[in-house]
Amino acid sequence: MSKGVGPAALLAACLAGVGGTGAQCVLLAQAGFVVGQSSAAAFGPGAFVAGWAATAWWAGRSARRPQQWFGALALGLAPLATLAAWILMRLSSAGGGFAPPLAFALLVLAGAGQGAFLPLLARVAGARSTATKVGGLFACNLLGCVCGAYLLGFVAIGAWGRIAALGAAIAASVLAAGIGWWCSRGSDVVCSDATEPVDLRVAALMVGVTFWTLAQEWLCTRVAVLWIGSESAQLSLVLACALFALAAGAALLPRLIPATLGGVMALTVAAAVTSAWPLFAPPALDVLADRGAFWVCATLVMPPMVPLGAFIPLLHAWHSGESGRRLGDLLRFEIVGALSVGPLLHEFVLPACGVSGSIAVVIGSMALSCLAFGVTRGARASSIAAATLCATVAVCAWFQAAPALRSPKWRDPSLTVLAARDDQHFAVAVVDDGLNGERTLLTDQFRAAGTGRDYRYMRALGHLPVLLHVAPRKVAVLALGTGTTLGAVALHRSIESIDVLEISSAVVEFAPWFESVNGAALQRDSRVHVIVDDGRRSLARTPAAYDVLTMEPLLPDSPFGVYLYTPEFYAVARRSLAPGGVFCQWVPPHALEPQVFDALVEAFAGAFPCAQAWLFGTQLLLVGADQVPALAPERFEELGDAARSALADLGLADFAGARAHFVAALAHGSATQRRLSDLDPWIAWRRKPSDGRVLTWLPTNMESLARWSTSPPWNGDATAEATLQAARAVLEARIALGWSEIEVRTGRLDAAAARERALAALTGLASEQLRLPCVSQLRQELDFTASVRLGIAHLNAGELRAALDELLRAAELRSERADVHAYVAAVLERAGKHEAAAAALKRALSICPRLYETPVGDRLRGLGLAPASEHVQDTAPVER
């Protein structure tokens, strides 16, 4: 092996990467139940790398022969990883203060089981391995990490669950150890004390390289999700691209850059320049967005990561001595860099400086490294020049706008950004949506919540569980969003204390922008207390604390949100409830594949002795308790005027109205489908379709609700039964509307026929029933949608009178919508009523100043309504 690195050794390095990264993906998610999923993603890789580096140092300095080491690894890796996973599973239900430090210690221990491979393989490769040989080992190891991240961290978890994925990772690592044992037969190379000690400047550079690498990977992920989303497939793709780029840098750049002071300086400058690339990449990402997530990830992530992959091979070749010892001595300094990146970047730099500022800080530290490293080695001029170049790049990065402000969602011309900030977890913005006529909260590219009519169910999410409790005193609201649910809870004056559990400090900071729906409860209500932390972890620390717990977290099939919909989470939630407590959770039927929807309902039904389904519009609210909640007419008589008025708007003003929203008592069946759990969160690892099948989800899931429907457990009089009959008719109408929408969009049905098909489900209702809020709201929705579509159709056909009648009706129903006023203007302009057209257009532009930059503006131009120059307005950019 002294002449080169053999194929078997390269294979062992590759398999070690597969096993190490696969185990890391599984154990990080498990640690998330203890420390919070976001904190695990930010701190966990550093802890794992620290353990990896510690064992690499130990193996590099060990006097034992490589064959002995590989034999120990083959025998010890499986029980070590299994023990770490088992303890993490036990810790996930513990709420003590010792649990988070112990979880991170276990990640260090798990990483320690993987760190010995590269120094030992470098030793087997030859005592004087060159940069290209060690680079080849690193490249193969990192390519194995790519496979581990994708095949085990995504495919295996999605197909078989987390336990099977961990088993496959252990098998890969044990196989790597076995191949290493075979390669080291007859090798008599051991650690040599003659190895040159690592210079302190090199040690400091190694600390910096580790920090830069982990920080850049995290920052690239923060930017990538703004273009491609944050589902598991996309996150796995970002990690795979980063590891592949590191592998390419380790394999190729040592062949081009000399292992000298000048070479290291040049590499550092290259790393500084490419580290700024994510801030200048948005135009290229926009061009590539239509080609798919891979091209976006590759373009964004690979350039800044490639130079970072070459540092270790170059620095390894710089020193003399036995190869394994040299590599181990270098890698020990990764411990400091790995353990510092989470606390420094995640907790301090990112919240204070944002993504752009954090990238500038990382590049600035590269400038300091050049200055300190070169000057102390007698290369003052070159080090000052390199540091100056790095500092210049850092300054340019600092003054770049936040990437989120240049992302497709945030640049949408229908949106006006009012406030924006990066925090530890998201890029958060408050925007005014001119086309929909509402104020919206964005987290990354996700519409988290808004003030429009589509979010009425968020008020029900606050009122319903409070009404179902006999005497609620202490309430918890998990996930603040716009504060709509909090505002609803705060209207009930009998409540003495309200805890808001929110992970994002920026979301809390922006709550005043939504006072119209939250009633300024955070600022003016002394009963409200905010806890900024992972919601699941907060609940685990507060047993038997709450009479009511209500929540609307992220989508159930998102990588972090899924862990708020598993039976294990529901067990945590039940423990946080006081005796007689009520739990309420949102589930979106329109956003979930039917098999995912069924799995979520099944998980909830099996977690509570009493599990119920309630429907508000098209949104499902699940209610869980230890016994049937008490829905009593007297509860409505105790309400104040503000609460009574708010409830009347939702159709919850009295016992009959509230009872009518009940759909089913959910039974825990013996479904043969794949069960959802913490260890098998398969719904977040499925690839979502993006074609017409998505439109079938809502009517299919609503049909399931209709099929599960049962009579309410509270007896009602004739009025209550009539109200229930109307609500069930509305459910059937919404099912018909869902299927009709598919036909409308495919041109097989016109808007008028779709409206009539839905209204047919209401034909048997009496006049009193038709006036109920749930019925009138549906009819308004049908009228608005049909009026807009018919108005545009009449306009295109030149039937101006009919078009104007329909569009004026739509504008009356949704006066906040800019697009409707613009279409009215187009009709009036064609009819020769120029002054009235100008007034309607002015109204539209006052709601959506950049209307003519949207697709609606393109249609208006096609209809002959060009914007007057005085109507074209620019919006001021939001500063980072």
Side-chain angles (χ1 to χ4, degrees), residues 246-263:
L246 290 172
L252 300 176
L253 292 187
R255 302 175 184 274
L256 305 175
I257 301 175
T260 61
L261 176 61

Side-chain angles (χ1 to χ4, degrees), residues 809-852:
R809 170 65 174 157
E812 180 183 351
L813 291 169
R814 297 287 189 273
S815 60
E816 71 274 14
R817 293 278 297 256
D819 54 347
V820 178
H821 294 291
Y823 289 130
V824 169
V827 177
L828 292 170
E829 182 69 21
R830 279 198 176 183
K833 300 179 180 180
H834 304 298
E835 291 186 6
L841 182 58
K842 183 178 180 180
R843 175 75 180 277
L845 290 171
S846 69
I847 300 173
C848 184
R850 298 170 61 194
L851 177 66
Y852 273 93

